[in-house]
């Protein structure tokens, strides 16, 4: 989880990060909020907000550090309060991400109703306050043993802005092995996608074979990796607004973690995690190997990926990986970026731990440190811009004050908006940009296109023929 990685020694290198002015933001601290577990005992809210929806309307979080089972969500329509999931029977839940319409993803417990003595099994699922939990489909080789005996590792972890694509990970069985202690289940922790079909149901696509078509970023080039890439553990951290890009980490054979992305179904390693550094007889470093590894943690509104890795010499390197396959080293660990190019680091204004931000940068979510009596933990908190306005879902498109203008070989979007995306007639994304972005039309073929514009008031789509 993110907070564990934030404890590493900071080491500034590379490009500077512009400092933001948070005087026009209000700080909301929910450390005084309380929730009840399934036994009726009351506890303080523990955990961080993990994600905020791209439009800034909703935020979700949970405690996966101490393991209290505390899950909560926030609605900008009532910014001063948070709501908790208080189920009567079970305590193991997670909330990891939320779409623009308020569809939440995470995990929850299920018990065989016909066998009250059966163990509870954790499944990835979707949640709304109106309908409660609904399990997402899993494969036949889904490991129920590991879903009983491990916490927080069988999750729907991230959801696209429109809710059409969900990414997550869970344990799957790869056979059994005889041991002196009986049969040992062999498992891998694999990534997966759920895509919403025309009927509104989610269909599962396993991604556990993507290492066979993997690439390695090496000095500005993507090189084919033969048979050296495999994983026993893969963790999903984020998904892009359009659902085409996933970021996370996979465990290397050395035990370290490779920062990775999955783009259009292909695994790309950004750094290679080796076994150890090489030294000469005098103890001088000959070859530096990234043994400890790192993560790709977040994706911004322009599909830039942010992360870090730690070298064998314990140097932390922070980076941004662009859609054009450019590696940009930064002097801070960046947790998120908005559509206007602003980047937000670990601590912003009065928010000590920042995990995510909305596309327009008006909502930043994370946590604060609190005392638990027997130690310290974190509680949810966020920053909300003074001029933030709650966007109404299903708003009349005519009320959204944006329009498009085509001049020669360029398309302009007029008005105040966070993102504009150009799609072809088949629904494939052609280009995407934030406020002020100019779409070049000279390189796209003749045909019908749609521009989807996201604003604080809602969304509006335009169709044109080139």
């Amino acid at each position: 989880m993110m907070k564990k990685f934030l404890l590493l020694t900071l080491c500034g290198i590379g490009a500077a990060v512009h400092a933001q002015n948070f005087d026009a933001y209000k700080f909301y601290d929910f450390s005084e909020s309380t929730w009840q577990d399934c036994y009726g005992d009351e506890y303080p809210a523990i955990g961080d907000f993990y994600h905020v929806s791209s439009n800034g309307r909703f935020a979700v979080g949970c405690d996966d550090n101490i393991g209290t089972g505390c899950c909560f969500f926030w609605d900008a329509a009532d910014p001063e309060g948070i709501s908790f999931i208080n189920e009567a029977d079970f305590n193991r839940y997670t909330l990891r991400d939320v779409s623009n319409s308020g569809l939440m993803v995470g995990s929850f417990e299920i018990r065989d109703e016909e066998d009250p003595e059966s163990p509870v099994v954790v499944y990835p699922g979707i949640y709304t306050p109106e309908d409660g939990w609904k399990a997402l489909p899993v494969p036949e080789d889904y490991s129920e043993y590991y879903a009983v005996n491990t916490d927080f590792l069988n999750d729907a972890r991230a959801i696209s802005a429109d809710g059409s694509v969900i990414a997550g990970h869970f344990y799957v069985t790869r056979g059994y092995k005889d041991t002196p202690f009986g049969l040992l289940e062999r498992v891998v922790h694999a990534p997966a996608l759920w895509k919403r079909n025309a009927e509104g149901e989610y269909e599962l696509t396993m991604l556990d074979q993507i290492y066979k078509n993997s690439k390695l970023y090496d000095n500005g080039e993507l090189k084919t990796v033969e048979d050296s890439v495999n994983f026993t553990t893969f963790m999903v951290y984020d998904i892009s607004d359009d659902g085409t890009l996933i970021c996370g980490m996979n465990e290397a054979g050395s035990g370290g973690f490779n920062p990775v992305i999955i783009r259009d179904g292909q695994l790309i390693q950004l750094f290679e995690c080796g076994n150890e550094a090489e030294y000469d007889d005098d103890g001088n470093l000959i070859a530096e190997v990234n043994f400890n590894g790192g993560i790709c943690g977040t994706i911004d509104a322009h599909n830039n990926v942010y992360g870090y890795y730690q070298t064998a010499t314990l140097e932390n390197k922070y980076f941004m990986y662009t859609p054009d396959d450019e590696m940009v080293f930064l002097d801070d660990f960046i947790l998120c970026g908005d559509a206007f190019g602003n980047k937000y680091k670990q601590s912003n204004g009065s928010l000590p731990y920042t995990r995510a931000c909305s596309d327009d940068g008006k909502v930043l979510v994370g946590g604060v440190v609190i005392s638990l009596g027997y130690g310290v933990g974190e509680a949810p908190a966020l920053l909300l811009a003074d001029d933030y306005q709650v966007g109404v879902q299903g708003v009349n498109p005519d009320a959204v004050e944006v329009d498009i203008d085509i001049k020669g070989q360029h398309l302009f979007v007029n008005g105040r908006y966070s993102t504009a995306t150009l799609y072809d007639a088949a629904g494939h994304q052609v280009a995407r940009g934030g406020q002020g972005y100019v779409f070049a039309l000279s390189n796209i073929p003749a045909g019908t296109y749609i521009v989807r514009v996201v604003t604080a008031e809602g969304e509006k789509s335009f169709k044109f023929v080139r």
Side-chain angles (χ1 to χ4, degrees):
M1 61 191 166
M2 186 72 70
K3 62 173 78 70
K4 291 182 179 178
F5 295 106
L6 296 177
L7 299 178
L8 298 172
T9 305
L10 299 180
C11 178
I13 59 173
V17 178
H18 177 65
Q20 302 297 312
N21 181 2
F22 294 101
D23 292 341
Y25 286 73
K26 185 175 180 180
F27 176 58
Y28 291 90
D29 178 357
F30 302 104
S31 59
E32 297 299 320
S33 302
T34 59
W35 69 287
Q36 289 185 346
D37 67 6
C38 62
Y39 303 105
D41 295 326
E42 192 167 279
Y43 296 96
I46 301 175
D48 292 345
F49 284 115
Y50 268 86
H51 276 110
V52 59
S53 57
S54 298
N55 62 0
R57 172 65 188 269
F58 306 99
V60 297
C62 61
D63 166 38
D64 69 355
N65 187 11
I66 301 172
T68 61
C70 182
C71 275
F72 41 84
F73 54 93
W74 172 85
D75 187 336
D78 180 21
E80 296 186 356
I82 58 173
S83 300
F84 296 91
I85 297 180
N86 291 317
E87 298 288 349
D89 296 326
F90 309 120
N91 267 342
R92 281 198 300 179
Y93 301 95
T94 63
L95 285 179
R96 300 295 192 180
D97 201 1
V98 58
S99 73
N100 282 347
S101 64
L103 181 63
M104 308 176 207
V105 297
S107 63
F108 70 110
E109 294 182 326
I110 298 178
R111 171 175 280 150
D112 185 350
E113 294 182 357
E114 297 181 357
D115 184 6
E117 301 302 319
S118 63
V120 289
V121 179
V122 173
Y123 284 89
I126 57 178
Y127 178 85
T128 62
E130 298 79 16
D131 300 324
W133 284 103
K134 180 179 179 181
L136 289 165
V138 295
E140 291 184 359
D141 55 3
Y142 184 78
S143 174
E144 290 197 352
Y145 174 82
Y146 278 82
V148 170
N149 292 285
T150 56
D151 289 335
F152 315 119
L153 291 176
N154 291 13
D155 267 342
R157 193 74 183 233
I159 187 169
S160 62
D162 63 1
S164 63
V165 185
I166 298 171
H169 48 237
F170 47 75
Y171 284 104
V172 291
T173 304
R174 288 293 178 262
Y176 296 85
K177 181 180 180 180
D178 280 318
T179 72
F181 306 101
L183 283 179
L184 175 67
E185 184 178 353
R186 299 171 60 188
V187 295
V188 295
H189 192 253
L193 280 181
W194 294 270
K195 295 184 178 180
R196 190 168 56 198
N197 60 25
E199 288 72 39
E201 299 295 325
Y202 286 96
E203 298 178 350
L204 172 68
T205 300
M206 292 299 299
L207 300 177
D208 55 332
Q209 299 298 314
I210 52 174
Y211 66 87
K212 294 182 178 178
N213 185 32
S214 63
K215 298 284 186 180
L216 173 65
Y217 181 84
D218 185 11
N219 294 321
E221 298 181 19
L222 293 181
K223 298 182 178 179
T224 301
V225 182
E226 300 297 335
D227 298 322
S228 61
V229 178
N230 205 329
F231 55 81
T232 57
T233 300
F234 191 105
M235 299 287 287
V236 171
Y237 275 89
D238 201 3
I239 192 170
S240 58
D241 282 354
D242 58 14
T244 63
L245 178 66
I246 301 169
C247 74
M249 65 183 184
N250 69 281
E251 186 174 0
S254 63
F257 292 101
N258 288 330
V260 295
I261 64 173
I262 301 174
R263 187 172 61 198
D264 296 325
Q266 182 179 67
L267 175 69
I268 299 175
Q269 297 184 102
L270 301 190
F271 300 93
E272 188 171 25
C273 205
N275 287 316
E276 58 184 11
E278 297 181 19
Y279 298 87
D280 62 19
D281 293 338
D282 297 324
N284 299 312
L285 182 68
I286 299 175
E288 179 183 292
V289 178
N290 172 28
F291 170 76
N292 294 299
I295 62 171
C296 289
T298 55
I299 304 171
D300 72 11
H302 295 291
N303 284 7
N304 296 305
V305 178
Y306 300 95
Y308 89 96
Y309 79 96
Q310 188 181 73
T311 69
T313 54
L314 301 183
E315 179 185 16
N316 296 326
K317 294 188 176 181
Y318 311 107
F319 63 82
M320 177 181 73
Y321 189 72
T322 73
D324 299 323
D325 297 313
E326 180 184 2
M327 181 68 69
V328 180
F329 287 101
L330 307 170
D331 58 359
D332 283 291
F333 187 15
I334 298 301
L335 275 300
C336 60
D338 64 27
F340 309 112
N342 300 311
K343 297 174 176 59
Y344 305 94
K345 52 187 180 179
Q346 174 183 346
S347 179
N348 296 276
S350 52
L351 187 63
Y353 292 102
T354 304
R355 284 185 178 267
C357 57
S358 59
D359 277 359
D360 60 9
K362 293 187 176 183
V363 185
L364 278 70
V365 301
V368 294
V369 177
I370 61 172
S371 174
L372 299 174
Y374 52 85
V376 296
E378 293 174 26
L382 59 83
L383 290 172
L384 183 66
D386 290 342
D387 61 348
Y388 175 84
Q389 294 182 357
V390 177
V392 179
Q393 300 300 320
V395 67
N396 180 357
D398 294 335
V400 180
E401 296 181 356
V402 294
D403 56 34
I404 64 172
D405 187 16
I406 297 177
K407 295 180 180 179
Q409 297 296 313
H410 296 91
L411 182 147
F412 301 85
V413 180
N414 303 316
R416 183 69 178 175
Y417 61 96
S418 56
T419 59
T421 308
L422 178 63
Y423 298 93
D424 62 19
H428 299 128
Q429 179 177 312
V430 177
R432 186 171 188 270
Q435 182 75 48
Y437 184 83
V438 179
F439 293 91
L441 305 179
S442 57
N443 295 325
I444 65 174
T448 301
Y449 293 87
I450 295 173
V451 182
R452 184 172 69 89
V453 184
V454 179
T455 77
E457 290 75 32
E459 300 181 3
K460 192 171 185 177
S461 295
F462 305 87
K463 181 184 292 186
F464 70 94
V465 178
R466 168 167 161 70

